[in-house]
Amino acid sequence: MSIYYIIESAVLLILLFVLALKFRIFDLKGTIAALIVGVIIVVLGSLYWLILMLIFAITAQMATKYRIKEKTKMKLQEGENGERHASNVIYAAVIGIAIAAMHFAKIGGFPYFLIFGVSFASVNADTFASEIGVFDSKVYMITGFKKITPGVNGGVSLLGEGAALLGAFIIGLSYIILDFHGFAIIPLLAITILGFVGCQIDSILGAVFENKGKMSKGQVNAVSTLLAVALAFVIFI
């Protein structure tokens, strides 16, 4: 690890910390947790991995802050004003950290950076779907397609599904720019589709387990991401 790599990483980590506090992406504990996760990713992955995670954090927060005053009136906002907590950070990043650890240990010959992208595409797709989809009046339960109130776990809508695709696509596009420095259709489609699939799994788990109090929101996020990543591993065996 060169001195230049350490300096560049430190600058990005400081940027992450400052942006998180300035724009209230996380509360204080969440910001510290994000900083720790960033350090782990820098050590186990690379600078590009950290940049991809930063893109996720920034775009997810943009979706979270979208029409935040209206969401607050509807009592559907994260935290008091869209900020997320340490538990949100941990559940969102735990699968990505595991992938980075496998990459660092050189287990198998998998495209770990791409699979890392899938993990955050899944989380970003879910974030976009839940934060933007609540403004669609036509929401249906994914398990029975019964019309429900916006914001209920397991609810899907045309606006939410479109937002989910956008969230996953942003991560896929960011990945190919970082890894290929240009356009590459196969990895772009792989990350976008698998991220979108992860979001659908999240909705199913939310409908079947979270609504019954058998899983927390964070657990649903982590398990749905894990299943999307497991599918990616199966595809690339």
Side-chain angles (χ1 to χ4, degrees):
M1 189 178 295
S2 71
I3 186 64
Y4 297 107
Y5 181 78
I6 294 172
I7 293 173
E8 290 170 344
S9 300
V11 169
L12 277 178
L13 289 169
I14 292 170
L15 178 64
L16 169 63
F17 189 80
V18 171
L19 288 176
L21 289 178
K22 180 176 177 58
F23 295 104
R24 298 189 67 185
I25 298 176
F26 314 109
D27 60 15
L28 181 58
K29 290 183 179 178
T31 301
I32 294 171
L35 184 62
I36 293 171
V37 169
V39 171
I40 293 171
I41 293 302
V42 164
V43 173
L44 299 180
S46 76
L47 207 57
Y48 283 168
W49 292 47
L50 177 61
I51 292 171
L52 189 65
M53 194 178 75
L54 271 171
I55 292 170
F56 155 71
I58 292 169
T59 56
Q61 183 64 4
M62 289 172 65
T64 299
K65 290 291 187 180
Y66 175 69
R67 295 168 67 176
I68 186 65
K69 291 183 179 179
E70 294 174 56
K71 281 186 277 193
T72 301
K73 290 180 180 178
M74 296 162 67
K75 296 183 178 180
L76 294 175
Q77 84 283 4
E78 284 285 343
E80 293 183 5
N81 193 38
E83 73 280 358
R84 296 176 186 271
H85 309 294
S87 59
N88 298 119
V89 175
I90 293 168
Y91 281 119
V94 63
I95 306 302
I97 291 173
I99 295 167
M102 294 176 70
H103 162 78
F104 185 79
K106 294 181 173 59
I107 299 173
F110 296 101
Y112 282 112
F113 186 28
L114 188 151
I115 296 173
F116 181 79
V118 169
S119 72
F120 281 102
S122 177
V123 181
N124 214 35
D126 175 62
T127 301
F128 270 62
S130 60
E131 295 292 347
I132 297 174
V134 293
F135 295 108
D136 194 326
S137 60
K138 297 179 180 180
V139 182
Y140 301 88
M141 184 60 71
I142 193 170
T143 51
F145 293 99
K146 178 182 178 181
K147 192 171 182 179
I148 58 173
T149 304
V152 174
N153 299 316
V156 294
S157 66
L158 284 177
L159 179 61
E161 296 297 274
L165 268 176
L166 175 61
F169 175 79
I170 288 170
I171 300 302
L173 183 62
S174 300
Y175 165 81
I176 63 170
I177 291 173
L178 289 169
D179 203 32
F180 290 88
H181 307 291
F183 190 76
I185 187 65
I186 299 301
L188 174 61
L189 287 176
I191 292 176
T192 302
I193 292 171
L194 288 171
F196 182 76
V197 168
C199 179
Q200 308 315 303
I201 295 172
D202 187 286
S203 295
I204 293 170
L205 293 177
V208 176
F209 297 105
E210 189 178 354
N211 284 339
K212 297 177 182 178
K214 295 182 178 179
M215 293 179 74
S216 68
K217 180 179 177 62
Q219 289 170 335
V220 166
N221 289 341
V223 172
S224 60
T225 301
L226 176 62
L227 292 175
V229 165
L231 182 57
F233 273 111
V234 170
I235 291 171
F236 289 109
I237 286 179

